[in-house]
């Protein structure tokens, strides 16, 4: 019998094979590691896992992580809005260069991201002697951790909003201006409602990275227990101490945050596809 | 304002009815300089205090060379693996319908969302000699954890979403018409794929693999736990920066950092050229 | 409150959109800017609305140096080619926008705004559609919402960019007569951009034929139609007369 497949359809066996390869690859490389986190955390029972969070050092790590994100994410959000307003709503020379520079932190190794601040604020850094005289600590303290986190999450909101606002054009804002709206009114009443889902999407990704950053923060933190360890650094310390259950229990908390981020992200993409920029690269 | 000032300003940017350019552009430039540009300058300037010879001595060191070779080599191998499997995953996700597809699609972003330290200890536990995958692989005579192979596995994990997410929109845009045209002209399915589909996808495929490579070269958190960090064998370049910093060898750390930064900028340039290539194709 | 445009030039990079445009229109005139796409008519309209700024030249309106008045203070009712309705607001909210953003001291009471919106909805024959969103309206309805929104601020001049460009021929014809009647009732200076000469001659008192950044001819509709001054005008009118109107850009 003649095959009645459409010419664009793969042979059923090909389809089966390719789907199996795709599912197999994702299972081995993505699902198994995730499952490992939870299985190791629960290897001594649920109670043992939960006890890892009674530790004051764990509590301090949670507080530091939340505090860092609470500073870095709003700052980068304000930056993202300002940058996308300037880039999307105006024409000026050097726009392409500016857009490229904003993306630079994505291409830089996390360790290098931490290193650059050590070279400025560290003991032997540019400003090191001066800071020491004033008794201000940046490296091995909160400011350094916040700076490194800001650097690695720098482009998230901006790169989400720039294509979105460019796509939406300027006509609605021009209409608002011609109807007598001030700049702030135009932004709050016309622009913001149009970009709110894209903005939320960018903030969500920015926050996930801010809470989960390891390499950059590791370089500037100094690993002072109970003081400068964020959650990911606390995971490292526990793991290197052979406290596997506790390490994986804390890691589970971060993994749950990641899963929550992915769920909200998928919901946003599914529900508001048109209102989120079309291109997503990270 | 003098006539020249007006015309100069007019030449730099088109005047606009919308307000807020000065404020948003000024803040963008200030924040970008403070967080990104000035700290990066610190890195670019620092290693030269060693003198050119000193710089070469640091980079010519046997251990440093081995680390750079591992970081770049493993990232390249992982990028090739991801290009191959990422293509299959993207094809399956765009072209086929099956239950659980949305879940599979969301899972692809896991490496973006999961903190690298969590991924690192999970991969390490998974591929350790007693781990779920480590044990069976051991019986096959394959040791992954604490070897350069472990580095490749970790970099494959972090790189996959770059290839899939870059290919997906291009595949979705591709539509069926060109393939149908090829079929009506007498091409077999295989000929159509090789001569029509693959060439259309190739810019995106190369872009995705380059992004994965760029991420892999600088990756730290997901690698250091599984790599074993044996000097000259399984020690990656970012880790060597951390080690040099711990020894307060700022200039040495900056020298390696500078090489990695240079690689980042070359890759950014490559990606911009690739984008131009892609734009020309469409 | 006459409008005097004098030697206005505007370039975008190397492209000269306007190469010295001058014309005068008395208070209450209905002026059509007619020409092929790329002739500079939309740029000129945007300059009148304060959305674009000329490199040189002057615009006087109501004895004011119009170019020094920012867009938000001009009270120039601008109707965009694609309407530029606020997509997240209802029709009523769109129309009320210009009143709602006024400073508190001069802003009408909420009830007064609501009443004004009702009046305008009646004026543009969209009674009962205030709660709809722009996406739920037809092209002709959106066009009339855009007009009502512009009229809400009691504009000193009305600027229309290809107002009927996106509509089908039947709706166009209906709206022509309606808009002309509206203009007469309001008595404000109206400038509108079109590439359709039937539309221009059917509605306007004064017609400016534009080509490549210049006004080729300016005069009453009758003058321009009956005695074209240049080969371009003659050819443009002739060509247009023998062909169906081109679709909008």
């Amino acid at each position: 019998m003649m095959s009645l497949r459409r010419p664009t359809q793969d042979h059923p066996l090909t389809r089966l094979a390719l789907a199996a390869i795709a599912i197999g690859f994702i299972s081995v490389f993505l699902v198994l590691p995730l499952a490992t986190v939870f299985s190791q955390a629960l290897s001594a029972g649920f109670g043992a896992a939960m006890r890892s969070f009674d530790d004051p050092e764990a509590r301090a790590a949670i507080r530091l992580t939340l505090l860092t994100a609470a500073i870095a994410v709003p700052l980068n959000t304000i930056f993202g809005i300002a940058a996308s307003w300037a880039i999307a709503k105006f024409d000026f020379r050097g726009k392409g260069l500016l857009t490229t520079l904003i993306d630079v932190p994505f291409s830089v190794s996390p360790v290098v991201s931490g290193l650059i601040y050590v070279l400025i604020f560290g003991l032997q850094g540019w400003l090191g002697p001066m800071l020491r005289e004033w008794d201000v600590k940046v490296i091995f303290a909160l400011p350094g951790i916040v700076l490194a986190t800001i650097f690695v999450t720098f482009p998230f909101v901006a790169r989400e909003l720039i294509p979105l606002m460019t796509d939406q054009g300027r006509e609605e804002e021009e209409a608002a201006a011609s109807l007598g709206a001030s700049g702030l009114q135009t932004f709050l009443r016309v622009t913001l409602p149009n970009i709110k889902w894209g903005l939320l999407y960018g903030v969500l990704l920015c926050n996930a990275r801010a809470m989960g950053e390891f390499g950059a923060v590791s370089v500037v933190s100094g690993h002072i227990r109970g003081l400068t360890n964020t959650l990911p650094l606390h995971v490292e310390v526990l793991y290197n101490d052979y406290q596997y259950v506790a390490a994986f229990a804390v890691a589970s908390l971060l993994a749950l945050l990641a899963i929550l981020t992915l769920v909200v992200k998928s919901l946003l993409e599914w529900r508001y596809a048109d209102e989120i920029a079309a291109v997503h690269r990270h | 304002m003098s006539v020249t000032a007006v015309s100069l300003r007019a030449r730099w940017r088109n005047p606009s009815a919308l307000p807020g350019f000065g404020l948003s552009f000024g803040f963008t430039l200030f924040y970008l300089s403070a967080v990104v540009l000035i700290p990066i300058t610190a890195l670019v300037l620092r290693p030269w205090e060693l003198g050119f010879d000193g710089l070469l001595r640091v980079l010519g060191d046997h251990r440093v060379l081995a680390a750079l070779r591992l970081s770049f080599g493993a990232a390249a191998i992982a990028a090739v693996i991801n290009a191959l499997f990422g293509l299959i995953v993207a094809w399956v996700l765009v072209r086929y319908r099956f239950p659980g597809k949305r879940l599979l699609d969301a899972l692809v972003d896991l490496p973006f969302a999961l903190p690298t330290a969590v991924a690192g200890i999970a991969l390490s536990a998974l591929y350790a000699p007693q781990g779920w995958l480590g044990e069976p692989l051991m019986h096959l005579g394959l040791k992954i954890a604490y070897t350069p192979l472990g580095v490749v596995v970790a970099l494959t994990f972090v790189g996959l979403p770059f290839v899939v997410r870059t290919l997906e929109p291009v595949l979705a845009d591709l539509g069926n018409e060109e393939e149908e045209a090829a079929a009506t002209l007498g091409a077999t399915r295989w000929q159509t794929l090789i001569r029509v589909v693959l060439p259309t996808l190739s810019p995106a495929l190369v872009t995705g693999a380059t992004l994965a490579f760029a991420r892999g070269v600088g990756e730290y958190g997901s690698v250091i736990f599984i790599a074993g960090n044996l000097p000259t064998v399984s020690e990656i370049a970012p880790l060597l920066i951390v080690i040099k910093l711990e020894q307060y060898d700022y200039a040495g750390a900056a020298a390696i950092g500078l090489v990695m930064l240079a690689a980042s900028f070359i890759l950014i340039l490559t990606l911009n050229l690739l984008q131009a290539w892609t734009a020309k194709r469409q | 409150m006459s409008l005097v445009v004098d030697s206005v030039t505007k370039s975008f990079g190397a492209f000269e959109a306007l190469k010295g445009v001058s014309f005068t229109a008395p208070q209450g005139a209905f002026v059509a800017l007619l020409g092929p796409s790329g002739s500079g008519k939309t740029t000129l309209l945007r300059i009148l609305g304060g959305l674009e700024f000329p490199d040189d030249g002057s615009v006087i309106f109501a004895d004011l140096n119009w170019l020094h008045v920012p867009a938000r203070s001009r009270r120039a009712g601008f109707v965009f080619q694609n309407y530029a309705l606020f997509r997240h607001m209802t029709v009523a909210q769109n129309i009320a926008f210009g009143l709602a953003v006024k400073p508190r001291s001069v802003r009408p009471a909420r009830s007064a705004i609501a009443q004004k919106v009702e009046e305008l909805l009646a004026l543009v024959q969209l009674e009962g559609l205030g709660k709809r969103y722009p996406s739920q309206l037809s092209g002709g309805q959106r066009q009339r919402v855009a007009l009502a929104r512009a009229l809400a601020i009691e504009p000193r001049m009305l600027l229309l960019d290809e107002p009927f460009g996106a509509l089908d021929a039947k709706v166009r014809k209906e709206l022509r007569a309606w808009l002309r009647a509206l203009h007469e009732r309001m008595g404000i200076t109206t400038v509108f951009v079109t590439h359709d000469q039937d539309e221009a001659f059917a509605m306007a008192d004064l017609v400016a034929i534009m080509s490549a950044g210049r006004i080729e001819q300016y005069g009453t509709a009758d003058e321009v139609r009956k005695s074209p001054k240049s080969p371009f005008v003659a050819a443009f009118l002739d060509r247009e007369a023998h062909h169906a109107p081109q679709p909008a850009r």
Side-chain angles (χ1 to χ4, degrees):
Chain A
M1 206 176 102
M2 287 284 293
S3 128
L4 291 177
R5 254 183 310 129
R6 273 187 286 130
T8 52
Q9 234 166 19
D10 297 326
H11 191 278
L13 280 179
T14 316
R15 275 194 286 176
L16 201 66
L18 289 181
I21 292 173
I23 293 170
F25 190 78
I26 287 180
S27 304
V28 170
F29 274 87
L30 305 184
V31 180
L32 271 183
L34 190 62
T36 305
V37 174
F38 294 111
S39 121
Q40 294 275 341
L42 298 174
S43 59
F46 188 71
M50 288 313 285
R51 271 195 295 284
S52 318
F53 295 101
D54 287 340
D55 178 29
E57 285 173 16
R59 296 281 170 92
I62 292 175
R63 268 197 306 274
L64 181 61
T65 297
L66 292 176
L67 178 62
T68 304
I71 301 171
V73 175
L75 280 173
N76 281 341
T77 304
I78 293 170
F79 162 73
I81 291 171
S84 51
W85 180 264
I87 290 173
K89 303 292 178 188
F90 298 91
D91 292 318
F92 57 90
R93 288 210 177 173
K95 195 190 265 195
L97 179 67
L98 183 62
T99 315
T100 304
L101 287 177
I102 288 174
D103 267 355
V104 161
F106 274 156
S107 313
V108 172
S109 166
V111 168
V112 172
S113 312
L115 170 67
I116 57 179
Y117 293 106
V118 176
L119 294 179
I120 292 184
F121 300 109
L123 263 185
Q124 298 167 43
W126 279 356
L127 303 178
M130 204 169 75
L131 292 171
R132 195 163 170 188
E133 212 164 281
W134 294 347
D135 207 19
V136 177
K137 286 207 82 164
V138 175
I139 299 305
F140 302 161
L142 178 69
I145 294 171
V146 171
L147 275 173
T149 306
I150 288 179
F151 183 92
V152 293
T153 58
F154 184 83
F156 276 100
V157 178
R159 72 149 31 192
E160 190 56 44
L161 290 185
I162 291 169
L164 180 63
M165 281 169 69
T166 306
D167 255 18
Q168 289 180 345
R170 299 164 198 178
E171 272 205 344
E172 287 189 34
E173 282 81 8
E174 286 175 349
S178 83
L179 292 167
S182 70
L184 192 64
Q185 284 172 325
T186 304
F187 177 74
L188 291 179
R189 289 168 180 245
V190 176
T191 310
L192 196 57
N194 280 337
I195 61 168
K196 59 178 186 255
W197 297 116
L199 181 64
L200 183 63
Y201 189 94
V203 169
L204 180 80
L205 299 182
C206 182
N207 181 66
R209 180 72 191 265
M211 289 190 171
E213 177 53 26
F214 175 71
V217 173
S218 162
V219 172
V220 296
S221 131
H223 295 82
I224 310 168
R225 292 185 179 206
L227 270 183
T228 64
N229 273 345
T230 60
L231 275 176
L233 297 177
H234 189 56
V235 169
E236 181 195 21
V237 167
L238 292 171
Y239 188 83
N240 288 343
D241 271 359
Y242 305 104
Q243 300 185 45
Y244 290 134
V245 168
F248 279 100
V250 176
S252 299
L253 184 64
L254 287 166
L256 285 174
L257 174 75
I259 292 169
L260 179 71
T261 302
L262 287 184
V263 169
V264 178
K265 179 173 175 288
S266 301
L267 281 178
L268 283 175
E269 282 170 1
W270 171 59
R271 177 75 181 76
Y272 301 105
D274 301 343
E275 296 169 60
I276 299 174
V279 182
H280 288 127
R281 286 197 275 117
H282 303 274
Chain B
M1 210 184 297
S2 72
V3 177
T4 19
V6 171
S7 59
L8 270 180
R9 250 186 62 185
R11 238 176 283 161
W12 177 62
R13 85 172 176 95
N14 281 327
S16 164
L18 300 179
F21 178 76
L23 185 67
S24 59
F25 183 77
F27 180 72
T28 300
L29 216 55
F30 163 75
Y31 193 74
L32 177 71
S33 306
V35 174
V36 180
L37 301 182
I38 294 172
I40 283 184
T41 312
L43 171 61
V44 174
L45 297 180
R46 188 66 186 243
W48 304 103
E49 72 186 33
L50 295 168
F52 193 66
D53 290 344
L55 187 65
L56 284 185
R57 209 165 31 248
V58 172
L59 298 178
D61 178 55
H62 171 59
R63 186 172 167 192
V64 174
L65 278 179
L68 286 171
R69 207 161 37 228
L70 177 63
S71 275
F72 283 88
I77 296 171
V80 171
I81 296 174
N82 277 326
L84 182 64
F85 287 94
L87 178 61
I88 295 174
V89 170
W91 183 266
V92 168
L93 285 177
V94 173
R95 289 296 176 96
Y96 300 167
R97 285 159 190 274
F98 53 92
K101 176 173 146 171
R102 198 186 290 279
L103 178 69
L104 203 66
D105 189 57
L107 269 172
V108 169
D109 278 335
L110 184 70
F112 284 153
L114 196 68
T116 54
V118 177
I121 63 169
L123 290 170
S124 179
L126 189 59
Y127 288 94
Q130 319 82 356
W132 288 347
L133 289 177
E135 198 172 4
L137 287 170
M138 196 73 145
H139 289 301
L140 297 173
L142 205 58
K143 195 168 176 317
I144 289 188
Y146 320 129
T147 72
L149 279 182
V151 180
V152 173
V153 166
L155 297 186
T156 306
F157 172 86
V158 297
L160 178 70
F162 290 96
V163 176
V164 178
R165 291 296 180 240
T166 311
L167 278 174
E168 271 182 329
V170 183
L171 255 177
D173 263 6
L174 184 62
N176 289 330
E177 270 193 6
E178 289 174 33
E179 286 167 63
E180 285 170 354
T184 61
L185 295 169
T188 64
R189 181 75 183 134
W190 185 244
Q191 284 172 322
T192 307
L193 288 179
I194 297 295
R195 287 168 181 245
V196 178
V197 177
L198 207 57
T200 318
L201 291 181
S202 52
L205 189 61
V206 177
T207 302
T210 309
L211 283 167
F213 174 71
R215 170 72 195 263
V217 168
E219 180 56 24
Y220 177 70
S222 57
V223 176
I224 55 164
F225 297 99
I226 194 177
N229 308 326
L230 221 62
T232 75
V233 176
S234 60
E235 184 180 61
I236 53 168
L239 178 64
L240 214 47
I241 294 179
V242 173
I243 291 172
K244 289 208 181 282
L245 273 182
E246 279 167 0
Q247 298 162 347
Y248 290 96
D249 178 7
Y250 281 20
I256 305 173
L258 186 60
V259 173
M260 309 211 58
L261 187 71
S264 300
F265 276 96
I266 291 170
L267 287 168
I268 290 174
L269 194 67
T270 312
L271 286 167
N272 278 340
L273 292 175
L274 278 170
Q275 205 174 25
W277 182 33
T278 316
K280 219 168 64 182
R281 279 290 185 92
Q282 281 163 355
Chain C
M1 296 228 283
S2 57
L3 171 66
V4 182
V5 175
D6 187 20
S7 318
V8 164
T9 61
K10 174 71 184 176
S11 300
F12 298 100
F15 175 69
E16 289 179 86
L18 295 174
K19 301 170 186 166
V21 166
S22 307
F23 73 93
T24 315
Q27 158 66 19
F30 197 123
V31 182
L33 303 176
L34 175 64
S37 45
S39 58
K41 46 196 197 314
T42 293
T43 305
L44 182 55
L45 195 75
R46 285 171 61 84
I47 286 174
L48 294 178
L51 302 175
E52 212 75 74
F53 301 88
D55 301 332
D56 213 342
S58 70
V59 177
I60 309 285
F61 180 70
D63 297 325
L64 290 169
N65 183 343
W66 199 233
L67 296 176
H68 284 188
V69 183
R72 58 175 295 223
S73 312
R74 286 191 192 193
R75 273 175 45 218
F78 203 106
V79 177
F80 291 80
Q81 187 175 5
N82 298 309
Y83 320 133
L85 295 178
F86 306 125
R87 60 199 112 162
H88 62 283
M89 296 183 198
T90 62
V91 166
Q93 286 168 333
N94 261 284
I95 297 174
F97 184 87
L99 303 173
V101 296
K102 284 190 173 187
R104 197 176 293 273
S105 53
V106 293
R107 190 191 310 157
R110 200 171 283 208
S111 57
I113 293 181
Q115 199 191 334
K116 178 93 184 177
V117 168
E118 285 308 315
E119 283 170 25
L120 285 162
L121 280 172
L123 182 71
V124 297
Q125 298 161 356
L126 290 175
E127 290 106 326
L129 296 186
K131 292 213 166 66
R132 296 256 187 110
Y133 282 89
S135 57
Q136 300 165 315
L137 300 180
S138 72
Q141 290 171 327
R142 283 181 211 180
Q143 210 287 325
R144 283 178 281 159
V145 174
L147 196 62
R149 183 176 71 174
L151 292 175
I153 58 169
E154 287 168 6
R156 293 191 276 192
M157 64 161 69
L158 196 55
L159 305 169
L160 306 140
D161 189 3
E162 300 269 5
F164 311 136
L167 306 177
D168 63 49
K170 184 168 164 288
V171 183
R172 266 165 188 259
K173 286 227 166 90
E174 282 168 19
L175 282 175
R176 260 185 217 174
W178 176 81
L179 181 64
R180 175 73 215 193
L182 188 74
H183 163 80
E184 261 153 36
R185 192 144 30 118
M186 314 283 272
I188 49 176
T189 308
T190 301
V191 180
F192 92 106
V193 158
T194 182
H195 62 257
D196 178 346
Q197 58 163 306
D198 288 344
E199 202 167 278
F201 291 122
M203 292 166 70
D205 308 317
L206 293 159
V207 176
I209 309 264
M210 293 190 70
S211 158
R214 290 202 172 82
I215 292 184
E216 290 279 330
Q217 185 171 2
Y218 180 59
T220 65
D222 275 349
E223 272 168 30
V224 173
R225 188 163 36 186
K226 287 186 185 137
S227 44
K229 264 189 197 158
S230 71
F232 170 83
V233 176
F236 178 74
L237 296 182
D238 189 49
R239 188 178 65 225
E240 286 283 302
H242 291 97
H243 290 85
Q246 324 154 333
R249 277 173 293 141

